[in-house]
Amino acid sequence: MTEVVGHRYRSLWPPPVVGDALLPALLLLDVVTTRAPRELPLAAALTAALVLPLVLRRRAPLTVFGAVASAAFVQWLMDVPLPADIALLVALYTVAARTDRRGTLIAAAVAEGGALLACLSWATDGAFLTPFVAVTAMVVAAAVLGVNVRTTRAYLAAVEERAARLERERDQRARLAAAEERARITREMHDIVTHNLSVMVALTDAAVYAQHRSPDRATAAMHQVSETGRQALTDMRRSLGILRADEPDGEPGAERHPLPGIGQLEALAGQMCAAGLPTRVEVEGDHGHVPATAQLTVYRLVQEALTNSLKHTPSGTHARVRIRCSTGDGTGAGTGTGTAVAAGTVTVDVTDSGPGLPGAAPAGHGIPGMRERAAAYGGTLEVGPLSGGGWGVRTCLLLGSGAGASA
C-alpha cells in the first residue's frame, strides 16, 4: 500500500527535465525583457548558449559543464556580462553531485578561473578583491553543496541496499527455519509411525497365531495393539500440536503428555518384548542433568534401532540397550571403572543378536534420520554388523555442543 501511494505521489510530481528547463526559461525571459533592442540578439544568443545545456545536466554533467564553460569564455572574450553566468555554478553543482572527486576538482578549478577573469574584466571602480571573494565563495558553496548531496545520496543508497540485504537474509533465515522445522517434524512422524506400526503388526501377527491355541494371549496382544495405537496418536498430537495457532504454550495437554526420554526406555523395552523382541535396558549414571531435548533424541535413537531389529531379524533375537551418562566430572558415572569420558555426554549403544547382513543396512529414512539426530549434538552414528554376530548402533551425544535445540 505504501509503495502504491508513494508511486502515485511520484507520478504527480513533474519530471526533472521540467525543473531543469525552468531556470533557462527565466534567464532568457530576463534578457528579452531587460536588454535594449540593439543588444538583444547577441545577449540572447550568449544566454541561450549558457543556459540551454542545463536541460541535459543530469544526463551528462561533465559535457554540460564543458559546454557552459566554453560559452562563458566566449562571453568573456566578447565582454558581455550576463546574469546567465549563474549557469556555470549550476553546472558545477551538478558535476559535484554526480561525478567523482577528480571531476569536481577540475570543474571547480575551471569555475574559479572564470571567476578570476570575470572580476578582472568587470570589477567596478577597481574593487577587485571584494567581488572576487564573493564569487569564490559562491564557487566553493556550489561545489560543497554538490559533494554533500552526492555523499547523502550514496549513504541513502547504502542504507537502502543494506535494508534490502537484511530483508533477504531475514526471509532466507525464515525459509531455513521452516525447512528445519519441517525436517524435525518429518523425523518425529517417521519414528512414531514406523515404530508403532511395526509393533502393532508384530502384535497382530502374534494374536492371529495364538487365537486358537491361547485365546488369553491373543486377547492380551490385541489389548497391547490398542494401547500402542493410542500411544501413537498421543505422540502425533504432541508433535503436531506446535503447528496449531490456537494451541498456546503451556497448555495442560502438554503437561499430560511430556516428551519421552531416558526414563521411558523401560516402557519401550516392555513394548518391544510384547512384540516379540526381548529387550534389556541398562542406564549407567544419573540422567537427571540431561536436557529434555537430548533425552528425546536418545529415546528416538533407541526406538528406531529397536524397530529395525524387530523388522529385520528373525524370532528369538534379543536386544540390549546401554545408556551411559557422564556427570561432567570427566569420568563415566556409574561405571565403577573410572574410564575417562568426555564431560557432559550421553553414550547410546543398541545391539541385537540377530544374524545381520555384513555391510548392509536397512533401506529407508530411519538411519539417515538417526544420523541427523546424532549430528545435532555433535555425535557420529556408527551402524553395522558386529564382529561376534548381530547388529549394533552406537553414538555419543555432546550435551555442551549447544546444537541440539532443534533435535
PDB file of all heavy atoms in Angstrom, residues 208-227:
ATOM      1  N   VAL A 208      -3.023 -63.356  15.957  1.00  0.00           N
ATOM      2  CA  VAL A 208      -3.625 -64.277  14.983  1.00  0.00           C
ATOM      3  C   VAL A 208      -3.081 -65.689  15.196  1.00  0.00           C
ATOM      4  O   VAL A 208      -3.824 -66.683  15.128  1.00  0.00           O
ATOM      5  CB  VAL A 208      -3.345 -63.777  13.555  1.00  0.00           C
ATOM      6  CG1 VAL A 208      -3.752 -64.820  12.531  1.00  0.00           C
ATOM      7  CG2 VAL A 208      -4.083 -62.471  13.297  1.00  0.00           C
ATOM      8  N   TYR A 209      -1.773 -65.793  15.452  1.00  0.00           N
ATOM      9  CA  TYR A 209      -1.167 -67.105  15.646  1.00  0.00           C
ATOM     10  C   TYR A 209      -1.694 -67.775  16.911  1.00  0.00           C
ATOM     11  O   TYR A 209      -1.856 -69.010  16.962  1.00  0.00           O
ATOM     12  CB  TYR A 209       0.359 -66.939  15.715  1.00  0.00           C
ATOM     13  CG  TYR A 209       1.096 -68.238  15.939  1.00  0.00           C
ATOM     14  CD1 TYR A 209       1.311 -69.129  14.887  1.00  0.00           C
ATOM     15  CD2 TYR A 209       1.591 -68.567  17.198  1.00  0.00           C
ATOM     16  CE1 TYR A 209       1.986 -70.318  15.099  1.00  0.00           C
ATOM     17  CE2 TYR A 209       2.269 -69.751  17.425  1.00  0.00           C
ATOM     18  CZ  TYR A 209       2.480 -70.627  16.362  1.00  0.00           C
ATOM     19  OH  TYR A 209       3.145 -71.807  16.566  1.00  0.00           O
ATOM     20  N   ALA A 210      -1.966 -66.989  17.968  1.00  0.00           N
ATOM     21  CA  ALA A 210      -2.344 -67.565  19.261  1.00  0.00           C
ATOM     22  C   ALA A 210      -3.842 -67.586  19.517  1.00  0.00           C
ATOM     23  O   ALA A 210      -4.274 -68.006  20.595  1.00  0.00           O
ATOM     24  CB  ALA A 210      -1.652 -66.782  20.382  1.00  0.00           C
ATOM     25  N   GLN A 211      -4.657 -67.141  18.556  1.00  0.00           N
ATOM     26  CA  GLN A 211      -6.087 -67.014  18.852  1.00  0.00           C
ATOM     27  C   GLN A 211      -6.764 -68.349  19.138  1.00  0.00           C
ATOM     28  O   GLN A 211      -7.741 -68.403  19.892  1.00  0.00           O
ATOM     29  CB  GLN A 211      -6.783 -66.298  17.692  1.00  0.00           C
ATOM     30  CG  GLN A 211      -6.717 -67.050  16.361  1.00  0.00           C
ATOM     31  CD  GLN A 211      -7.454 -66.297  15.248  1.00  0.00           C
ATOM     32  OE1 GLN A 211      -8.310 -65.474  15.536  1.00  0.00           O
ATOM     33  NE2 GLN A 211      -7.118 -66.612  14.002  1.00  0.00           N
ATOM     34  N   HIS A 212      -6.273 -69.428  18.560  1.00  0.00           N
ATOM     35  CA  HIS A 212      -6.883 -70.736  18.800  1.00  0.00           C
ATOM     36  C   HIS A 212      -6.180 -71.489  19.928  1.00  0.00           C
ATOM     37  O   HIS A 212      -6.839 -72.144  20.753  1.00  0.00           O
ATOM     38  CB  HIS A 212      -6.856 -71.566  17.522  1.00  0.00           C
ATOM     39  CG  HIS A 212      -7.667 -70.950  16.402  1.00  0.00           C
ATOM     40  ND1 HIS A 212      -9.027 -70.747  16.480  1.00  0.00           N
ATOM     41  CD2 HIS A 212      -7.270 -70.479  15.187  1.00  0.00           C
ATOM     42  CE1 HIS A 212      -9.460 -70.181  15.363  1.00  0.00           C
ATOM     43  NE2 HIS A 212      -8.403 -70.009  14.548  1.00  0.00           N
ATOM     44  N   ARG A 213      -4.860 -71.416  19.972  1.00  0.00           N
ATOM     45  CA  ARG A 213      -4.119 -72.167  20.980  1.00  0.00           C
ATOM     46  C   ARG A 213      -4.158 -71.493  22.350  1.00  0.00           C
ATOM     47  O   ARG A 213      -4.216 -72.176  23.372  1.00  0.00           O
ATOM     48  CB  ARG A 213      -2.659 -72.337  20.540  1.00  0.00           C
ATOM     49  CG  ARG A 213      -2.503 -73.101  19.225  1.00  0.00           C
ATOM     50  CD  ARG A 213      -1.022 -73.280  18.888  1.00  0.00           C
ATOM     51  NE  ARG A 213      -0.843 -74.016  17.636  1.00  0.00           N
ATOM     52  CZ  ARG A 213       0.339 -74.339  17.120  1.00  0.00           C
ATOM     53  NH1 ARG A 213       1.446 -73.961  17.776  1.00  0.00           N
ATOM     54  NH2 ARG A 213       0.424 -75.007  15.989  1.00  0.00           N
ATOM     55  N   SER A 214      -4.079 -70.184  22.372  1.00  0.00           N
ATOM     56  CA  SER A 214      -4.062 -69.459  23.650  1.00  0.00           C
ATOM     57  C   SER A 214      -4.868 -68.169  23.498  1.00  0.00           C
ATOM     58  O   SER A 214      -4.295 -67.095  23.250  1.00  0.00           O
ATOM     59  CB  SER A 214      -2.613 -69.155  24.068  1.00  0.00           C
ATOM     60  OG  SER A 214      -2.592 -68.463  25.297  1.00  0.00           O
ATOM     61  N   PRO A 215      -6.183 -68.278  23.642  1.00  0.00           N
ATOM     62  CA  PRO A 215      -7.020 -67.067  23.477  1.00  0.00           C
ATOM     63  C   PRO A 215      -6.639 -65.949  24.438  1.00  0.00           C
ATOM     64  O   PRO A 215      -6.758 -64.767  24.081  1.00  0.00           O
ATOM     65  CB  PRO A 215      -8.430 -67.586  23.741  1.00  0.00           C
ATOM     66  CG  PRO A 215      -8.361 -69.056  23.479  1.00  0.00           C
ATOM     67  CD  PRO A 215      -6.995 -69.483  23.891  1.00  0.00           C
ATOM     68  N   ASP A 216      -6.211 -66.313  25.647  1.00  0.00           N
ATOM     69  CA  ASP A 216      -5.849 -65.265  26.593  1.00  0.00           C
ATOM     70  C   ASP A 216      -4.670 -64.445  26.083  1.00  0.00           C
ATOM     71  O   ASP A 216      -4.644 -63.199  26.186  1.00  0.00           O
ATOM     72  CB  ASP A 216      -5.510 -65.875  27.952  1.00  0.00           C
ATOM     73  CG  ASP A 216      -6.735 -66.521  28.614  1.00  0.00           C
ATOM     74  OD1 ASP A 216      -7.853 -66.128  28.228  1.00  0.00           O
ATOM     75  OD2 ASP A 216      -6.539 -67.370  29.502  1.00  0.00           O
ATOM     76  N   ARG A 217      -3.674 -65.108  25.530  1.00  0.00           N
ATOM     77  CA  ARG A 217      -2.518 -64.391  24.983  1.00  0.00           C
ATOM     78  C   ARG A 217      -2.915 -63.552  23.784  1.00  0.00           C
ATOM     79  O   ARG A 217      -2.404 -62.432  23.595  1.00  0.00           O
ATOM     80  CB  ARG A 217      -1.416 -65.381  24.595  1.00  0.00           C
ATOM     81  CG  ARG A 217      -0.788 -66.113  25.782  1.00  0.00           C
ATOM     82  CD  ARG A 217       0.340 -67.011  25.326  1.00  0.00           C
ATOM     83  NE  ARG A 217       1.382 -66.251  24.643  1.00  0.00           N
ATOM     84  CZ  ARG A 217       2.428 -66.814  24.027  1.00  0.00           C
ATOM     85  NH1 ARG A 217       2.556 -68.145  24.012  1.00  0.00           N
ATOM     86  NH2 ARG A 217       3.326 -66.069  23.440  1.00  0.00           N
ATOM     87  N   ALA A 218      -3.835 -64.085  22.967  1.00  0.00           N
ATOM     88  CA  ALA A 218      -4.296 -63.312  21.819  1.00  0.00           C
ATOM     89  C   ALA A 218      -5.027 -62.053  22.276  1.00  0.00           C
ATOM     90  O   ALA A 218      -4.846 -60.963  21.711  1.00  0.00           O
ATOM     91  CB  ALA A 218      -5.199 -64.173  20.936  1.00  0.00           C
ATOM     92  N   THR A 219      -5.849 -62.197  23.302  1.00  0.00           N
ATOM     93  CA  THR A 219      -6.569 -61.031  23.819  1.00  0.00           C
ATOM     94  C   THR A 219      -5.605 -59.999  24.392  1.00  0.00           C
ATOM     95  O   THR A 219      -5.750 -58.779  24.164  1.00  0.00           O
ATOM     96  CB  THR A 219      -7.559 -61.476  24.903  1.00  0.00           C
ATOM     97  OG1 THR A 219      -8.482 -62.418  24.342  1.00  0.00           O
ATOM     98  CG2 THR A 219      -8.322 -60.283  25.448  1.00  0.00           C
ATOM     99  N   ALA A 220      -4.617 -60.475  25.135  1.00  0.00           N
ATOM    100  CA  ALA A 220      -3.621 -59.553  25.698  1.00  0.00           C
ATOM    101  C   ALA A 220      -2.849 -58.843  24.595  1.00  0.00           C
ATOM    102  O   ALA A 220      -2.552 -57.638  24.688  1.00  0.00           O
ATOM    103  CB  ALA A 220      -2.660 -60.318  26.606  1.00  0.00           C
ATOM    104  N   ALA A 221      -2.536 -59.578  23.523  1.00  0.00           N
ATOM    105  CA  ALA A 221      -1.819 -58.958  22.409  1.00  0.00           C
ATOM    106  C   ALA A 221      -2.661 -57.880  21.741  1.00  0.00           C
ATOM    107  O   ALA A 221      -2.162 -56.805  21.380  1.00  0.00           O
ATOM    108  CB  ALA A 221      -1.404 -60.016  21.388  1.00  0.00           C
ATOM    109  N   MET A 222      -3.961 -58.128  21.575  1.00  0.00           N
ATOM    110  CA  MET A 222      -4.833 -57.130  20.960  1.00  0.00           C
ATOM    111  C   MET A 222      -5.006 -55.919  21.872  1.00  0.00           C
ATOM    112  O   MET A 222      -5.090 -54.777  21.394  1.00  0.00           O
ATOM    113  CB  MET A 222      -6.182 -57.741  20.631  1.00  0.00           C
ATOM    114  CG  MET A 222      -6.121 -58.820  19.553  1.00  0.00           C
ATOM    115  SD  MET A 222      -5.247 -58.283  18.064  1.00  0.00           S
ATOM    116  CE  MET A 222      -6.295 -56.932  17.519  1.00  0.00           C
ATOM    117  N   HIS A 223      -5.046 -56.147  23.185  1.00  0.00           N
ATOM    118  CA  HIS A 223      -5.063 -55.003  24.096  1.00  0.00           C
ATOM    119  C   HIS A 223      -3.786 -54.165  23.948  1.00  0.00           C
ATOM    120  O   HIS A 223      -3.830 -52.923  23.990  1.00  0.00           O
ATOM    121  CB  HIS A 223      -5.210 -55.480  25.540  1.00  0.00           C
ATOM    122  CG  HIS A 223      -6.623 -55.861  25.912  1.00  0.00           C
ATOM    123  ND1 HIS A 223      -7.682 -54.988  25.809  1.00  0.00           N
ATOM    124  CD2 HIS A 223      -7.154 -57.039  26.373  1.00  0.00           C
ATOM    125  CE1 HIS A 223      -8.801 -55.578  26.188  1.00  0.00           C
ATOM    126  NE2 HIS A 223      -8.510 -56.842  26.534  1.00  0.00           N
ATOM    127  N   GLN A 224      -2.678 -54.886  23.780  1.00  0.00           N
ATOM    128  CA  GLN A 224      -1.421 -54.173  23.582  1.00  0.00           C
ATOM    129  C   GLN A 224      -1.425 -53.393  22.276  1.00  0.00           C
ATOM    130  O   GLN A 224      -0.887 -52.283  22.193  1.00  0.00           O
ATOM    131  CB  GLN A 224      -0.249 -55.166  23.592  1.00  0.00           C
ATOM    132  CG  GLN A 224       1.123 -54.526  23.555  1.00  0.00           C
ATOM    133  CD  GLN A 224       1.421 -53.741  24.821  1.00  0.00           C
ATOM    134  OE1 GLN A 224       0.948 -54.077  25.895  1.00  0.00           O
ATOM    135  NE2 GLN A 224       2.199 -52.667  24.679  1.00  0.00           N
ATOM    136  N   VAL A 225      -2.045 -53.963  21.231  1.00  0.00           N
ATOM    137  CA  VAL A 225      -2.182 -53.235  19.957  1.00  0.00           C
ATOM    138  C   VAL A 225      -2.972 -51.950  20.170  1.00  0.00           C
ATOM    139  O   VAL A 225      -2.613 -50.874  19.676  1.00  0.00           O
ATOM    140  CB  VAL A 225      -2.863 -54.124  18.901  1.00  0.00           C
ATOM    141  CG1 VAL A 225      -3.253 -53.308  17.672  1.00  0.00           C
ATOM    142  CG2 VAL A 225      -1.943 -55.262  18.495  1.00  0.00           C
ATOM    143  N   SER A 226      -4.073 -52.066  20.914  1.00  0.00           N
ATOM    144  CA  SER A 226      -4.898 -50.887  21.183  1.00  0.00           C
ATOM    145  C   SER A 226      -4.106 -49.832  21.955  1.00  0.00           C
ATOM    146  O   SER A 226      -4.155 -48.631  21.640  1.00  0.00           O
ATOM    147  CB  SER A 226      -6.150 -51.286  21.960  1.00  0.00           C
ATOM    148  OG  SER A 226      -6.932 -50.157  22.297  1.00  0.00           O
ATOM    149  N   GLU A 227      -3.368 -50.259  22.949  1.00  0.00           N
ATOM    150  CA  GLU A 227      -2.579 -49.317  23.744  1.00  0.00           C
ATOM    151  C   GLU A 227      -1.485 -48.662  22.903  1.00  0.00           C
ATOM    152  O   GLU A 227      -1.221 -47.454  23.010  1.00  0.00           O
ATOM    153  CB  GLU A 227      -1.965 -50.044  24.934  1.00  0.00           C
ATOM    154  CG  GLU A 227      -1.135 -49.158  25.859  1.00  0.00           C
ATOM    155  CD  GLU A 227      -1.968 -48.063  26.500  1.00  0.00           C
ATOM    156  OE1 GLU A 227      -3.196 -48.262  26.680  1.00  0.00           O
ATOM    157  OE2 GLU A 227      -1.399 -46.994  26.810  1.00  0.00           O
TER     158      GLU A 227
END
